[in-house]
Amino acid sequence: MNEELAITVGTAARQARERQGLTQGDVASQVGIAMEVYSRMERGRVLPSSTTLRRLCMVLRIRADTLLGLDGPSPPDEALTLALADREEDPPSLRRLVRALRPLDEEGLKAMGLIIQGALALRER
């Protein structure tokens, strides 16, 4: 049972990570675990602790029920589906930029938006 659960969690985590456009290192860093541990988790070799499971859910933006295989994937809304589809075609440099911006709060995002608008305005001159 534990082996099957570990494989279920690992598979769901990998799929969610790939949908987010993250590397194993990105997830491990944000969750606060070693990349080697996260890698073993994705391969179904180890189960996360409850604390790590909670952090995984937050970082991967996935429900615990889905991660644990207790339900099917929740149907994404149309905006999320479009955002994920666009991401796959984005260049790696843009995906890295989005990952860097993701942890910012609303105030930080507004500030970065102003900086980007200013840079673009200067570029057009």
Side-chain angles (χ1 to χ4, degrees), residues 94-113:
L94 179 58
R95 291 195 308 260
R96 282 192 298 274
L97 179 59
V98 170
R99 280 195 306 268
L101 295 173
R102 192 172 286 131
L104 296 178
D105 61 8
E106 190 64 29
E107 187 176 321
L109 288 172
K110 285 181 183 177
M112 290 305 298

Side-chain angles (χ1 to χ4, degrees), residues 1 10 16 22 26 28 30 41 44 53 55 57 62 67 69 78 86 91-92 95 97 101 104 118 120 122-123:
M1 177 64 176
L22 300 171
D26 293 333
Q30 291 179 40
M41 206 178 303
L53 180 71
R55 289 182 193 145
C57 290
I62 186 172
L67 197 59
E78 188 176 336
D86 290 343
R95 291 195 308 260
L97 179 59
L101 295 173
L104 296 178
L120 290 173
L122 287 174
R123 186 175 175 206

Side-chain angles (χ1 to χ4, degrees), residues 9 13-15 17 24 26 33 36 38 41 48 55 60-61 64 67 70 78 81 84-86 94 100 111 118-119 125:
V9 169
R14 179 181 44 78
Q15 290 171 348
R17 174 182 61 78
Q24 287 185 344
D26 293 333
I33 58 176
E36 294 78 14
Y38 181 75
M41 206 178 303
R55 289 182 193 145
L60 296 174
R61 298 178 183 177
L67 197 59
L70 298 174
E78 188 176 336
T81 302
L84 292 174
D86 290 343
L94 179 58
R125 288 184 180 182

Side-chain angles (χ1 to χ4, degrees), residues 30-33 50-60:
Q30 291 179 40
V31 171
I33 58 176
S50 57
T51 303
T52 301
L53 180 71
R54 183 175 185 273
R55 289 182 193 145
L56 275 172
C57 290
M58 292 185 324
V59 169
L60 296 174

